[in-house]
Amino acid sequence: MRTVELLPDEATEARVRRVWGRLAETGMPSLAAHRHATNRPHLTLTTASELPWDVRPALAGALSALPLPLRLEGTLRFEGRTSVLAWRVVAETELATLQRRVWELLPGAGNPLFEPANWVPHLSLGRSRSGPDSWPAELLPAELSEPWEGRFATARSYDTGSRTVEPLT
């Protein structure tokens, strides 16, 4: 499986990593504990079984829209096999348009979560098998209640098989 991901500017990445650290310091699940070299704050636009060579020029054209504004506002919690705490990314028009275009080029490998009408943009902060109570609201870092503005600066693809990344911009 391959992803198409947007990476934030340095200041936003540093802020997300600080939140990861603060979650970990209080004993809450955090992506700070994920030590793989490819672990970075990112926004997944879609997934695909592969990135075909014939699609790459159009993908590069779509990603030439970068940099794009990034606005973080509030938290989200997702439930499934694992619980996820995430920082909500506001889907401004330019970002939503880019996600739709990338999804049209690589239609999500059949994953309905990436269909434009279903896509929930976010930056993951932590994962847990213990359920949503893993992150008591009163213990969350103050930064999560303060809106943040930055930019999505670059794009990459993560290969889940080889656990490697490929720059796309």
Side-chain angles (χ1 to χ4, degrees):
M1 182 73 60
R2 299 289 297 263
T3 64
V4 176
E5 303 172 353
L6 299 184
L7 303 175
D9 60 79
E10 290 180 16
T12 302
E13 178 166 349
R15 187 171 181 92
V16 173
R17 288 183 181 275
R18 279 193 305 275
V19 169
W20 287 357
R22 289 193 176 111
L23 289 169
E25 288 167 6
T26 60
M28 291 186 274
S30 166
L31 288 178
H34 182 25
R35 299 289 183 197
H36 195 271
T38 62
N39 183 37
R40 290 185 65 181
H42 65 275
L43 171 71
T44 303
L45 296 177
T46 196
T47 60
S49 55
E50 62 180 330
L51 295 180
W53 289 106
D54 62 331
V55 172
R56 287 172 181 251
L59 181 60
L63 294 171
S64 70
L66 295 172
L68 287 178
L70 173 161
R71 182 168 172 82
L72 299 173
E73 196 171 278
T75 58
L76 299 168
R77 294 169 194 250
F78 300 102
E79 296 305 316
R81 284 181 306 146
T82 60
S83 295
V84 175
L85 175 69
W87 213 335
R88 185 173 77 89
V89 174
V90 177
E92 304 286 354
T93 302
E94 296 144 311
L95 179 61
T97 299
L98 175 60
Q99 191 276 334
R100 176 177 291 282
R101 179 66 183 128
V102 170
W103 182 83
E104 289 169 348
L105 291 168
L106 302 160
N111 187 336
L113 294 176
F114 294 104
E115 290 179 16
N118 299 333
W119 182 62
V120 179
H122 64 278
L123 300 180
S124 294
L125 300 169
R127 298 181 190 284
S128 173
R129 294 192 190 272
S130 300
D133 296 335
S134 299
W135 301 281
E138 65 276 7
L139 297 179
L140 292 178
E143 292 95 330
L144 294 175
S145 63
E146 302 164 358
W148 173 264
E149 294 191 17
R151 298 195 77 65
F152 284 112
T154 61
R156 72 176 186 179
S157 176
Y158 177 70
D159 184 324
T160 61
S162 65
R163 296 186 74 195
T164 58
V165 294
E166 172 189 348
L168 295 176
T169 52

